[in-house]
Amino acid sequence: MFENLKPSKPDPILAIMGLYREDKRADKMDFGVGVFKDLSGNTPVPKAVKEAERRLLEQQTSKAYVGMAGDLAYNEAIKRLTLAEAAPGDRCVSLQTPGGSGSIRLLGEVIQGSAPSAQVWLPTPTWPNHGPTLSAAGLTMASYPYFDFASQSLLKAQMFDTLAKVPAGDIVLLHGCCHNPTGADLDMADWQRLTDMALSQGFVPFVDIAYQGFGQGLEEDAAGLRYMASRVPEMLISASCSKNFGLYRDRIGAAIMIGKSAEATQAMRGALLARTRLSVSMPPAHGAEVVREILNDPALEQGWRAEVDAMRRQIQSARQSLADQMRSLSNSDRFDFIAQQRGMFSTLGLSDAQVERLRDDFAIYVVGGGRMNLAGLRPDQAAPLARGLLAVMED
Ligand code: LMR
């Protein structure tokens, strides 16, 4: 029955985790999958999460089903965190999903159910799982230029030229902040221009925000998408709590939809629920309860916000250490962009051979193209990482 199954291709990001685990070298360094690590190399459970979990353990009296919509108080809280005052009242629905990835897939299915011929325009480059996940939902992908690795700069003119041709009813995927894999973000003027284009051309923005708080701050990182959300008639948002709440393995995110009217938004809610029932039936409870507990307790929320700020400062200082090392070892300022980019990732634009050589000769693990998780860089690793990178790039 299953003899026709073809061997699956390894996932370009998750495969690195396996290779790293198998490596016996004591000095190996992992800059693969996007997880934050503290100065001793651990991915900590934030204190606010531990406290919320302690309370849940004490208070929980049942494990009975919660329902297809998941935790209603979480759904409201995550909407507030993402959109704040920009949430357009009864034109906005938010639904708990298993991670940000679960949200992307769910929203893809809702698009497919309503407009199966809509194309989704993805930036080049983008997170390698965007295209496959949305294709698996039955949609067709198109692409727009976003970033040039050689000059480490955004291709704004080309991006706007291409997006000017997107027809009404297509979807344009944007990264809310901390663009994965480049660390190069749109500025407010870009968000304003894209909002005007969505309004005049009739395309629907789909914003993936997985790193809120890791760029400039929890509010600053959502400013562009909030501007857009308060103006466009329809919009989709995938939010993730993996990184900013440190809840990676608990798989908690949200699908947020903005509709043209209250009635249209109710229909969206119905479609989200029906699709949820057909895939996971009901979303897993734990992560949602933790986030709800934090965001509905002012003291706990304040503590969590301070923890996110501290993670962001550590990432920024790791970026600065690497940029300093690259500057002194290369005698040039051409790697200063590492300190200017934001969020977990920067990508050097390495070839497959260079990525392999980094791994084989220097025990340095990065994702294809040379994507580095700088939220996993300890201060003592900056010099050996810089030496490895320059060695493979200078050959
Ligand atoms: C990453 O890009 O490393 C993270 O978003 C983890 C993942 O699922 O790929």
mmCIF file of all heavy atoms in Angstrom, residues 188-206:
data_model
loop_
_atom_site.group_PDB
_atom_site.id
_atom_site.type_symbol
_atom_site.label_atom_id
_atom_site.label_comp_id
_atom_site.label_asym_id
_atom_site.label_seq_id
_atom_site.Cartn_x
_atom_site.Cartn_y
_atom_site.Cartn_z
ATOM 1 N N MET A 188 8.488 52.093 9.067
ATOM 2 C CA MET A 188 7.088 52.538 9.116
ATOM 3 C C MET A 188 6.625 53.097 7.769
ATOM 4 O O MET A 188 5.480 52.874 7.368
ATOM 5 C CB MET A 188 6.923 53.566 10.243
ATOM 6 C CG MET A 188 5.509 53.861 10.590
ATOM 7 S SD MET A 188 4.386 52.423 10.610
ATOM 8 C CE MET A 188 3.968 52.364 12.281
ATOM 9 N N ALA A 189 7.518 53.775 7.065
ATOM 10 C CA ALA A 189 7.124 54.321 5.744
ATOM 11 C C ALA A 189 6.771 53.174 4.788
ATOM 12 O O ALA A 189 5.840 53.285 3.979
ATOM 13 C CB ALA A 189 8.259 55.168 5.176
ATOM 14 N N ASP A 190 7.495 52.059 4.892
ATOM 15 C CA ASP A 190 7.188 50.896 4.040
ATOM 16 C C ASP A 190 5.812 50.320 4.389
ATOM 17 O O ASP A 190 5.028 49.966 3.506
ATOM 18 C CB ASP A 190 8.231 49.783 4.222
ATOM 19 C CG ASP A 190 9.635 50.245 3.863
ATOM 20 O OD1 ASP A 190 9.762 51.056 2.934
ATOM 21 O OD2 ASP A 190 10.590 49.787 4.515
ATOM 22 N N TRP A 191 5.541 50.210 5.689
ATOM 23 C CA TRP A 191 4.228 49.676 6.113
ATOM 24 C C TRP A 191 3.109 50.594 5.606
ATOM 25 O O TRP A 191 2.052 50.128 5.184
ATOM 26 C CB TRP A 191 4.162 49.553 7.636
ATOM 27 C CG TRP A 191 4.926 48.356 8.163
ATOM 28 C CD1 TRP A 191 6.193 48.370 8.677
ATOM 29 C CD2 TRP A 191 4.484 46.995 8.207
ATOM 30 N NE1 TRP A 191 6.564 47.091 9.038
ATOM 31 C CE2 TRP A 191 5.529 46.234 8.771
ATOM 32 C CE3 TRP A 191 3.311 46.347 7.840
ATOM 33 C CZ2 TRP A 191 5.438 44.852 8.973
ATOM 34 C CZ3 TRP A 191 3.213 44.968 8.035
ATOM 35 C CH2 TRP A 191 4.264 44.234 8.588
ATOM 36 N N GLN A 192 3.360 51.907 5.657
ATOM 37 C CA GLN A 192 2.327 52.845 5.194
ATOM 38 C C GLN A 192 2.091 52.661 3.700
ATOM 39 O O GLN A 192 0.959 52.620 3.226
ATOM 40 C CB GLN A 192 2.751 54.279 5.521
ATOM 41 C CG GLN A 192 2.665 54.540 7.022
ATOM 42 C CD GLN A 192 3.350 55.819 7.457
ATOM 43 O OE1 GLN A 192 4.116 56.422 6.713
ATOM 44 N NE2 GLN A 192 3.086 56.231 8.680
ATOM 45 N N ARG A 193 3.205 52.531 2.958
ATOM 46 C CA ARG A 193 3.059 52.379 1.511
ATOM 47 C C ARG A 193 2.359 51.065 1.158
ATOM 48 O O ARG A 193 1.493 51.028 0.279
ATOM 49 C CB ARG A 193 4.470 52.439 0.889
ATOM 50 C CG ARG A 193 4.445 52.477 -0.592
ATOM 51 C CD ARG A 193 5.767 52.985 -1.134
ATOM 52 N NE ARG A 193 5.845 52.728 -2.560
ATOM 53 C CZ ARG A 193 6.960 52.774 -3.263
ATOM 54 N NH1 ARG A 193 8.104 53.086 -2.669
ATOM 55 N NH2 ARG A 193 6.948 52.530 -4.556
ATOM 56 N N LEU A 194 2.714 49.988 1.863
ATOM 57 C CA LEU A 194 2.067 48.691 1.612
ATOM 58 C C LEU A 194 0.577 48.734 1.972
ATOM 59 O O LEU A 194 -0.258 48.124 1.302
ATOM 60 C CB LEU A 194 2.771 47.581 2.411
ATOM 61 C CG LEU A 194 4.160 47.213 1.891
ATOM 62 C CD1 LEU A 194 4.928 46.396 2.928
ATOM 63 C CD2 LEU A 194 4.045 46.425 0.577
ATOM 64 N N THR A 195 0.259 49.496 3.018
ATOM 65 C CA THR A 195 -1.151 49.651 3.401
ATOM 66 C C THR A 195 -1.919 50.351 2.277
ATOM 67 O O THR A 195 -3.014 49.915 1.880
ATOM 68 C CB THR A 195 -1.253 50.462 4.715
ATOM 69 O OG1 THR A 195 -0.511 49.776 5.720
ATOM 70 C CG2 THR A 195 -2.695 50.631 5.165
ATOM 71 N N ASP A 196 -1.332 51.422 1.747
ATOM 72 C CA ASP A 196 -1.982 52.138 0.632
ATOM 73 C C ASP A 196 -2.162 51.214 -0.567
ATOM 74 O O ASP A 196 -3.184 51.241 -1.241
ATOM 75 C CB ASP A 196 -1.131 53.353 0.207
ATOM 76 C CG ASP A 196 -1.156 54.446 1.266
ATOM 77 O OD1 ASP A 196 -2.042 54.394 2.144
ATOM 78 O OD2 ASP A 196 -0.279 55.337 1.237
ATOM 79 N N MET A 197 -1.144 50.377 -0.833
ATOM 80 C CA MET A 197 -1.236 49.469 -1.983
ATOM 81 C C MET A 197 -2.332 48.421 -1.762
ATOM 82 O O MET A 197 -3.096 48.095 -2.676
ATOM 83 C CB MET A 197 0.126 48.779 -2.218
ATOM 84 C CG MET A 197 1.181 49.746 -2.731
ATOM 85 S SD MET A 197 2.847 49.057 -2.655
ATOM 86 C CE MET A 197 2.815 47.940 -4.050
ATOM 87 N N ALA A 198 -2.400 47.906 -0.540
ATOM 88 C CA ALA A 198 -3.456 46.913 -0.250
ATOM 89 C C ALA A 198 -4.826 47.556 -0.451
ATOM 90 O O ALA A 198 -5.743 46.948 -1.015
ATOM 91 C CB ALA A 198 -3.310 46.394 1.184
ATOM 92 N N LEU A 199 -4.956 48.814 -0.005
ATOM 93 C CA LEU A 199 -6.242 49.508 -0.142
ATOM 94 C C LEU A 199 -6.579 49.762 -1.604
ATOM 95 O O LEU A 199 -7.700 49.545 -2.041
ATOM 96 C CB LEU A 199 -6.194 50.845 0.619
ATOM 97 C CG LEU A 199 -6.291 50.724 2.140
ATOM 98 C CD1 LEU A 199 -5.920 52.041 2.824
ATOM 99 C CD2 LEU A 199 -7.703 50.303 2.549
ATOM 100 N N SER A 200 -5.579 50.206 -2.398
ATOM 101 C CA SER A 200 -5.933 50.550 -3.780
ATOM 102 C C SER A 200 -5.982 49.328 -4.692
ATOM 103 O O SER A 200 -6.810 49.261 -5.590
ATOM 104 C CB SER A 200 -4.985 51.629 -4.331
ATOM 105 O OG SER A 200 -3.691 51.100 -4.399
ATOM 106 N N GLN A 201 -5.137 48.319 -4.438
ATOM 107 C CA GLN A 201 -5.112 47.152 -5.334
ATOM 108 C C GLN A 201 -6.058 46.036 -4.894
ATOM 109 O O GLN A 201 -6.432 45.183 -5.684
ATOM 110 C CB GLN A 201 -3.692 46.575 -5.420
ATOM 111 C CG GLN A 201 -2.696 47.489 -6.119
ATOM 112 C CD GLN A 201 -1.260 47.017 -5.940
ATOM 113 O OE1 GLN A 201 -0.403 47.804 -5.568
ATOM 114 N NE2 GLN A 201 -0.976 45.754 -6.199
ATOM 115 N N GLY A 202 -6.370 46.012 -3.592
ATOM 116 C CA GLY A 202 -7.293 44.984 -3.112
ATOM 117 C C GLY A 202 -6.649 43.653 -2.779
ATOM 118 O O GLY A 202 -7.338 42.638 -2.666
ATOM 119 N N PHE A 203 -5.314 43.631 -2.598
ATOM 120 C CA PHE A 203 -4.736 42.372 -2.102
ATOM 121 C C PHE A 203 -4.896 42.305 -0.584
ATOM 122 O O PHE A 203 -5.145 43.318 0.077
ATOM 123 C CB PHE A 203 -3.284 42.157 -2.557
ATOM 124 C CG PHE A 203 -2.272 43.182 -2.086
ATOM 125 C CD1 PHE A 203 -1.839 43.225 -0.772
ATOM 126 C CD2 PHE A 203 -1.717 44.095 -2.995
ATOM 127 C CE1 PHE A 203 -0.898 44.143 -0.346
ATOM 128 C CE2 PHE A 203 -0.764 45.028 -2.575
ATOM 129 C CZ PHE A 203 -0.362 45.054 -1.249
ATOM 130 N N VAL A 204 -4.737 41.102 -0.041
ATOM 131 C CA VAL A 204 -4.953 40.902 1.397
ATOM 132 C C VAL A 204 -3.612 40.644 2.079
ATOM 133 O O VAL A 204 -2.926 39.678 1.734
ATOM 134 C CB VAL A 204 -5.905 39.706 1.649
ATOM 135 C CG1 VAL A 204 -6.109 39.471 3.148
ATOM 136 C CG2 VAL A 204 -7.243 39.933 0.949
ATOM 137 N N PRO A 205 -3.207 41.498 3.028
ATOM 138 C CA PRO A 205 -1.941 41.246 3.737
ATOM 139 C C PRO A 205 -2.086 40.087 4.727
ATOM 140 O O PRO A 205 -3.118 39.948 5.384
ATOM 141 C CB PRO A 205 -1.670 42.552 4.493
ATOM 142 C CG PRO A 205 -2.697 43.534 4.035
ATOM 143 C CD PRO A 205 -3.844 42.765 3.458
ATOM 144 N N PHE A 206 -1.014 39.298 4.815
ATOM 145 C CA PHE A 206 -0.937 38.173 5.753
ATOM 146 C C PHE A 206 0.382 38.373 6.505
ATOM 147 O O PHE A 206 1.453 38.205 5.933
ATOM 148 C CB PHE A 206 -0.933 36.874 4.943
ATOM 149 C CG PHE A 206 -0.893 35.579 5.754
ATOM 150 C CD1 PHE A 206 -1.356 34.404 5.178
ATOM 151 C CD2 PHE A 206 -0.413 35.509 7.048
ATOM 152 C CE1 PHE A 206 -1.325 33.192 5.877
ATOM 153 C CE2 PHE A 206 -0.384 34.318 7.763
ATOM 154 C CZ PHE A 206 -0.843 33.161 7.172
#
